[in-house]
Amino acid sequence: MSQAPADADDRRAIAPVICYPPETLPRPDMALYSAALCEAEPVSVAVAAPREACHFRVKAGQFFRIVSVEGPQVGDLNLWRDGDLSERFYSGKTRALHGTHVSTGERLWSSFPHLRTMATIVEDTLSWYGIDAYGGAVHDVIGTRCDPYTGNLLSGTQYHHCCHSNLIRALSDATGMTRQEAEPHVHDVLNVFMCTGFTRDTGQYFMKASPVRPGDHLTLFAEIDLLGALSACPGGDCSSEHSSDSAQCYPLRVEILQPKAGALAGWQSPARNGYDGSHGR
Ligand SMILES: [Zn+2]
């Protein structure tokens, strides 16, 4: 450990400032969304089988609801703009803007140079959980996704049902791309229903049993046309391990809901980011 300077305590005592105060972000009209959701009708359903992923398409102005069925299960979500895979969910920027975990009223943002809202969370039945005594909370944008490469590095395994591989197969099924073509488009996820945090003493990423129970759900409003893929993580409720077939796993259901005509009066799909893209030259 390095030598502490004489003013070490003074330096540590400086109060933090929030990197990105969210007050000037475009605000979602939650009352409008809630009213539209109340009367929205289901139009299609996709189901991610245990240790598999499903894909689904959501038009701008529709909702999609991720539902726990049968037992506690964590889901790894990828989102792209339907028709342009270069615009995809940007978990790092979402984390910088909203924090390590997301809930009702917060938004999922897209990659550069688009950087606009892809979806807004309108319902979260686990919002009661808050931050527990370990610093754990639900629906994180910290983790990447379980993948066969890290498993191979850590324990020499060849496991084919990590979320990374499940999402590749789902994107391949959705687009007709080969698995090799699809892989570079799979990205860091929203960990739906997953309970995670960082240990206070060592700062390590931890997971613990998800508090999700059948019937719990997370509902999002699609701000732009979306192609989604959801993996039912091989970790199940992520209480012990992932990247193996040892955990008890359950399916996850995705419902697409269509609001009534006129229910979104005044809402507009967000435009691409307003930066001019010249980068100073
Ligand atoms: Zn996983």
Side-chain angles (χ1 to χ4, degrees):
M1 192 180 296
S2 61
Q3 181 75 36
D7 64 346
D9 287 343
D10 292 341
R11 295 194 207 180
R12 290 194 188 99
I14 296 168
V17 294
I18 298 298
C19 291
Y20 296 102
E23 286 73 24
T24 55
L25 285 175
R27 291 211 173 211
D29 186 342
M30 296 305 290
L32 182 78
Y33 292 166
S34 296
L37 180 60
C38 269
E39 302 208 306
E41 298 281 351
V43 289
S44 62
V45 169
V47 175
R51 298 189 175 83
E52 295 286 348
C54 65
H55 70 269
F56 54 93
R57 286 184 162 85
V58 197
K59 288 275 173 215
Q62 292 181 325
F63 297 94
F64 63 106
R65 177 178 283 154
I66 299 168
V67 189
S68 166
V69 286
E70 297 183 26
Q73 174 65 44
V74 160
D76 285 48
L77 177 70
N78 264 194
L79 293 175
W80 302 264
R81 177 151 69 95
D82 198 12
D84 177 10
L85 297 183
S86 76
E87 183 170 9
R88 62 195 200 181
F89 172 53
Y90 189 173
S91 79
K93 186 57 72 181
T94 300
R95 178 169 68 243
L97 290 170
H98 295 301
T100 52
H101 300 76
V102 291
S103 187
T104 309
E106 294 175 322
R107 315 183 94 176
L108 308 187
W109 297 84
S110 68
S111 53
F112 301 154
H114 314 277
L115 192 60
R116 58 176 160 181
T117 52
M118 300 186 92
T120 301
I121 300 174
V122 294
E123 247 186 357
D124 173 14
T125 62
L126 292 174
S127 61
W128 58 266
Y129 191 85
I131 301 175
D132 67 28
Y134 300 95
V138 183
H139 312 307
D140 86 62
V141 282
I142 314 167
T144 52
R145 59 210 176 262
C146 60
D147 70 89
Y149 304 105
T150 307
N152 185 270
L153 268 181
L154 291 171
S155 46
T157 51
Q158 298 287 335
Y159 183 68
H160 306 301
H161 287 267
C162 283
C163 291
H164 179 74
S165 302
N166 297 347
L167 293 167
I168 289 170
R169 294 195 305 278
L171 181 59
S172 171
D173 291 345
T175 61
M177 287 191 293
T178 64
R179 292 188 301 283
Q180 287 68 31
E181 289 167 337
E183 180 162 14
H185 297 287
V186 170
H187 50 275
D188 287 353
V189 299
L190 168 62
N191 275 313
V192 179
F193 305 139
M194 191 166 180
C195 188
T196 59
F198 293 104
T199 58
R200 296 282 163 84
D201 51 349
T202 60
Q204 285 173 293
Y205 184 43
F206 71 75
M207 61 184 191
K208 54 179 285 189
S210 171
V212 70
R213 296 293 178 268
D216 277 323
H217 53 270
L218 187 73
T219 310
L220 300 100
F221 177 76
E223 302 279 354
I224 59 176
D225 289 347
L226 295 175
L227 168 62
L230 181 73
S231 169
C233 181
D237 70 355
C238 289
S239 58
S240 56
E241 64 175 78
H242 50 73
S243 307
S244 76
D245 277 346
S246 62
Q248 179 67 53
C249 288
Y250 300 95
L252 289 169
R253 192 169 74 226
V254 184
E255 301 167 352
I256 313 301
L257 300 122
Q258 173 71 50
K260 284 208 163 128
L264 292 165
W267 167 79
Q268 278 193 315
S269 187
R272 217 178 105 141
N273 192 272
Y275 175 60
D276 68 13
S278 60
H279 302 291
R281 290 242 172 110

